[in-house]
Coordinates of all heavy atoms in Angstrom, one line a residue:
Q415 N -18.4 -1.5 7.9 CA -17.1 -1.0 8.4 C -16.2 -0.7 7.1 O -16.0 -1.6 6.3 CB -16.4 -2.0 9.3 CG -17.1 -2.1 10.7 CD -16.8 -0.9 11.5 OE1 -15.7 -0.4 11.6 NE2 -17.9 -0.4 12.1
L416 N -15.7 0.4 7.1 CA -14.7 0.8 6.0 C -13.3 0.5 6.5 O -12.9 0.9 7.6 CB -14.8 2.3 5.7 CG -14.1 2.7 4.4 CD1 -14.8 3.9 3.8 CD2 -12.7 3.0 4.6
H417 N -12.6 -0.2 5.7 CA -11.2 -0.6 6.0 C -10.3 -0.3 4.8 O -10.7 -0.4 3.7 CB -11.1 -2.1 6.3 CG -11.7 -2.5 7.6 ND1 -13.0 -2.9 7.7 CD2 -11.2 -2.5 8.9 CE1 -13.3 -3.2 9.0 NE2 -12.2 -2.9 9.7
V418 N -9.1 0.2 5.1 CA -8.0 0.4 4.2 C -6.8 -0.3 4.7 O -6.5 -0.2 5.9 CB -7.7 1.9 3.9 CG1 -8.9 2.5 3.1 CG2 -7.5 2.7 5.2
V419 N -6.1 -1.1 3.8 CA -5.0 -1.8 4.2 C -3.9 -1.6 3.2 O -4.0 -1.8 2.0 CB -5.3 -3.3 4.2 CG1 -4.0 -4.1 4.6 CG2 -6.4 -3.6 5.2
E420 N -2.7 -1.1 3.7 CA -1.6 -0.8 2.8 C -0.7 -2.0 2.7 O -0.6 -2.8 3.6 CB -0.8 0.4 3.4 CG -1.6 1.6 3.7 CD -1.9 1.7 5.2 OE1 -2.0 0.6 5.8 OE2 -2.0 2.8 5.7
S421 N 0.0 -2.1 1.6 CA 1.0 -3.1 1.4 C 2.0 -2.6 0.4 O 1.8 -1.6 -0.3 CB 0.4 -4.4 1.0 OG -0.2 -4.3 -0.2
G422 N 3.1 -3.3 0.2 CA 4.1 -3.0 -0.8 C 5.3 -2.3 -0.3 O 6.3 -2.1 -1.1
G423 N 5.4 -1.9 0.9 CA 6.6 -1.2 1.5 C 7.8 -2.2 1.5 O 7.6 -3.4 1.7
D424 N 8.9 -1.6 1.2 CA 10.1 -2.5 1.1 C 11.4 -1.6 1.1 O 11.3 -0.4 1.3 CB 10.1 -3.2 -0.3 CG 10.8 -4.5 -0.2 OD1 11.6 -4.8 0.7 OD2 10.6 -5.4 -1.1
L425 N 12.5 -2.3 1.1 CA 13.8 -1.6 0.9 C 14.0 -1.4 -0.5 O 13.9 -2.3 -1.3 CB 14.9 -2.4 1.6 CG 16.3 -1.9 1.4 CD1 16.5 -0.6 2.1 CD2 17.3 -3.0 1.9
A426 N 14.4 -0.1 -0.9 CA 14.7 0.2 -2.2 C 16.0 1.1 -2.3 O 16.3 1.7 -1.3 CB 13.5 1.0 -2.9
Q427 N 16.6 1.0 -3.4 CA 17.8 1.8 -3.6 C 17.5 3.2 -4.1 O 16.4 3.4 -4.8 CB 18.8 1.1 -4.6 CG 19.3 -0.2 -4.1 CD 20.3 -0.8 -5.1 OE1 20.3 -0.4 -6.3 NE2 21.0 -1.8 -4.7
P428 N 18.3 4.2 -3.8 CA 18.1 5.5 -4.4 C 18.0 5.4 -5.9 O 18.7 4.7 -6.6 CB 19.3 6.3 -4.0 CG 19.8 5.6 -2.7 CD 19.5 4.2 -2.9
G429 N 17.0 6.1 -6.5 CA 16.7 6.0 -7.9 C 15.8 4.9 -8.3 O 15.3 4.8 -9.4
G430 N 15.5 4.0 -7.4 CA 14.6 2.9 -7.6 C 13.1 3.2 -7.5 O 12.7 4.4 -7.4
S431 N 12.3 2.2 -7.6 CA 10.9 2.4 -7.6 C 10.2 1.4 -6.7 O 10.7 0.3 -6.5 CB 10.3 2.2 -9.1 OG 10.8 3.2 -9.9
L432 N 9.1 1.8 -6.2 CA 8.2 0.9 -5.4 C 6.7 1.3 -5.8 O 6.5 2.4 -6.1 CB 8.4 1.0 -3.9 CG 9.6 0.4 -3.3 CD1 9.7 0.8 -1.8 CD2 9.6 -1.1 -3.5
R433 N 5.8 0.3 -5.6 CA 4.4 0.6 -5.8 C 3.7 0.2 -4.5 O 3.7 -1.0 -4.2 CB 3.8 -0.1 -7.0 CG 2.4 0.4 -7.3 CD 1.7 -0.3 -8.5 NE 1.4 -1.6 -8.3 CZ 0.6 -2.4 -9.1 NH1 0.2 -1.8 -10.2 NH2 0.4 -3.6 -8.8
L434 N 3.1 1.1 -3.8 CA 2.3 0.8 -2.7 C 0.8 0.6 -3.1 O 0.3 1.2 -4.0 CB 2.4 1.9 -1.6 CG 3.8 2.3 -1.2 CD1 3.6 3.4 -0.1 CD2 4.6 1.1 -0.7
S435 N 0.2 -0.4 -2.4 CA -1.2 -0.7 -2.6 C -2.0 -0.3 -1.4 O -1.6 -0.5 -0.3 CB -1.4 -2.1 -3.0 OG -0.7 -2.5 -4.2
C436 N -3.2 0.1 -1.7 CA -4.2 0.4 -0.6 C -5.5 -0.3 -1.0 O -6.2 0.2 -1.9 CB -4.4 1.9 -0.5 SG -5.7 2.4 0.7
A437 N -5.8 -1.4 -0.3 CA -7.0 -2.1 -0.6 C -8.1 -1.6 0.3 O -8.0 -1.6 1.5 CB -6.8 -3.6 -0.3
A438 N -9.2 -1.1 -0.3 CA -10.3 -0.5 0.4 C -11.5 -1.4 0.3 O -11.8 -2.0 -0.7 CB -10.6 0.8 -0.2
S439 N -12.2 -1.5 1.4 CA -13.5 -2.2 1.5 C -14.4 -1.5 2.4 O -14.1 -0.6 3.2 CB -13.2 -3.6 2.1 OG -12.7 -3.6 3.4
G440 N -15.7 -1.8 2.2 CA -16.7 -1.2 3.1 C -17.3 0.1 2.5 O -18.0 0.8 3.2
F441 N -17.0 0.5 1.3 CA -17.5 1.7 0.7 C -19.0 1.4 0.3 O -19.2 0.6 -0.6 CB -16.7 2.1 -0.5 CG -15.4 2.7 -0.1 CD1 -14.3 1.9 -0.1 CD2 -15.3 4.1 0.1 CE1 -13.0 2.4 0.3 CE2 -14.0 4.6 0.5 CZ -12.9 3.8 0.5

């Protein structure tokens, strides 16, 4: 089974930065 799971979403201010992660398994 292939799974992808996102994380890292948050509240950010305009001009700010965020990094989202996508953990993949089952390849």
